[in-house]
Amino acid sequence: MKAAVDKDTCIGCGLCPSICPEVFEMQDDGKAGAIGDEVPSGAEDSAKEAESSCPVNAIAIEE
């Protein structure tokens, strides 16, 4: 499973790292980014929750 953040769409609200800090972090540009390429085992549900909670739909979780 992979996680990606569309930097052009992200507004930097910080919701995704608060929901799933194993997968997402706030980066130096003030926007969220995925940590690594793969979603760690056990973090799949929270990664999907972050995807569905993003207010601008900037997150994509692909299996």
Side-chain angles (χ1 to χ4, degrees):
M1 182 175 285
K2 296 182 183 238
V5 177
D6 181 342
K7 295 287 198 165
D8 293 331
T9 304
C10 179
I11 58 172
C13 71
L15 188 60
C16 56
S18 71
I19 293 172
C20 188
E22 303 89 353
V23 177
F24 303 102
E25 66 182 358
M26 296 307 292
Q27 298 183 333
D28 292 340
D29 61 2
K31 297 188 177 187
I35 302 169
D37 289 333
E38 294 290 325
V39 174
S41 179
E44 295 92 347
D45 288 344
S46 60
K48 288 180 182 177
E49 180 183 347
E51 177 187 32
S52 65
S53 299
C54 179
V56 293
N57 298 314
I59 297 172
I61 304 294
E62 299 175 357
E63 295 195 35

